[in-house]
Amino acid sequence: KQEVTQIPAALSVPEGENLVLNCSFTDSAIYNLQWFRQDPGKGLTSLLLIQSSQREQTSGRLNASLDKSSGRSTLYIAASQPGDSATYLCAASNDYKLSFGAGTTVTVRA
Amino acid sequence: EAGVAQSPRYKIIEKRQSVAFWCNPISGHATLYWYQQILGQGPKLLIQFQNNGVVDDSQLPKDRFSAERLKGVDSTLKIQPAKLEDSAVYLCASSSPRSYGYTFGSGTRLTVV
């Protein structure tokens, strides 16, 4: 059974600082890994999808890396802004099933 | 493309009452999922459909929860009778092998009092 862990559970940084969010998973036989953003009381918005054959994906200020052998993925957010405040969830896909971590709640202070 | 549609957005019911949630996936997505997200936790899979057949319902509390996906499109999740611990956000998602990724709806926030 896939277990996904996200550390830290919460993070508070001043505006402009770079963010590093960590995700680890126990079963390396994944199809892909996806990062989501969740605002309070809202659904999940997909940020980045990394296929199992890829090492990283980039979109604007966001960059996600994947190391299957070590069971780790990292989401980098450059030059953080108050609008980046949200909960970030990573999810590993095995056999078309998504297993989620509990998320990292980010607060960017103006 | 239109996103995954869910309704209602919010629902408050008393324990032992019944409730139903509706989901319309992205057109052409054969796989549909229902997730339960309790406050402070990541989403947990309740049931997965491939077209109108159930692929995985191992974590669905079948004594009170039921779900169906008629004609392989829309889906309904029902809880009867509800318990206090069912208070959560219920998320619907769909996926397609071509897109690989999962698209989630806005969710239904259920409060059982």
Side-chain angles (χ1 to χ4, degrees):
Chain A
K1 181 185 175 219
Q2 179 73 274
E3 300 284 347
V4 180
T5 303
Q6 290 188 249
I7 295 174
L11 190 59
S12 179
V13 300
E15 182 176 4
E17 194 164 298
N18 296 332
L19 289 164
V20 180
L21 309 180
N22 298 301
C23 171
S24 62
F25 47 94
T26 55
D27 183 354
S28 61
I30 60 172
Y31 289 151
N32 57 59
L33 187 132
Q34 200 163 355
W35 282 92
F36 295 88
R37 169 182 171 140
Q38 187 173 34
D39 293 292
K42 301 290 179 65
L44 277 63
T45 300
S46 179
L47 297 174
L48 290 168
L49 171 69
I50 313 174
Q51 300 294 349
S52 60
S53 59
Q54 297 174 321
R55 298 283 293 189
E56 66 177 349
Q57 278 286 342
T58 298
S59 176
R61 295 184 295 112
L62 276 59
N63 173 275
S65 65
L66 175 64
D67 184 343
K68 278 182 55 178
S69 61
S70 66
R72 294 180 183 175
S73 177
T74 303
L75 177 66
Y76 301 90
I77 303 177
S80 61
Q81 304 168 358
D84 295 328
S85 297
T87 296
Y88 292 83
L89 294 148
C90 73
S93 175
N94 301 77
D95 297 328
Y96 291 102
K97 296 177 189 177
L98 270 185
S99 300
F100 283 86
T104 295
T105 298
V106 171
T107 302
V108 181
R109 307 186 303 273
Chain B
E1 64 182 1
V4 175
Q6 287 189 247
S7 67
R9 285 284 286 122
Y10 306 94
K11 192 73 177 179
I12 301 174
I13 62 172
E14 295 182 350
K15 59 183 179 183
R16 291 188 289 275
Q17 286 187 325
S18 62
V19 64
F21 313 127
W22 173 82
C23 173
N24 181 245
I26 290 176
S27 178
H29 280 194
T31 311
L32 184 147
Y33 312 79
W34 283 102
Y35 284 83
Q36 179 194 57
Q37 185 178 24
I38 293 173
L39 187 64
Q41 300 180 17
K44 180 187 81 172
L45 179 67
L46 291 175
I47 189 167
Q48 175 185 348
F49 292 95
Q50 182 72 21
N51 295 309
N52 61 346
V54 175
V55 174
D56 183 356
D57 62 357
S58 58
Q59 297 195 80
L60 187 73
K62 299 181 186 65
D63 58 333
R64 299 183 300 105
F65 286 63
S66 64
E68 61 180 8
R69 189 183 185 194
L70 299 176
K71 301 180 182 177
V73 182
D74 293 7
S75 177
T76 304
L77 177 69
K78 296 179 182 178
I79 307 175
Q80 181 179 12
K83 292 185 176 181
L84 296 177
E85 59 260 37
D86 298 331
S87 295
V89 175
Y90 291 84
L91 296 161
C92 179
S94 68
S95 70
S96 163
R98 287 173 295 173
S99 67
Y100 296 106
Y102 297 73
T103 302
F104 282 78
S106 299
T108 296
R109 178 175 295 277
L110 174 67
T111 302
V112 182
V113 298

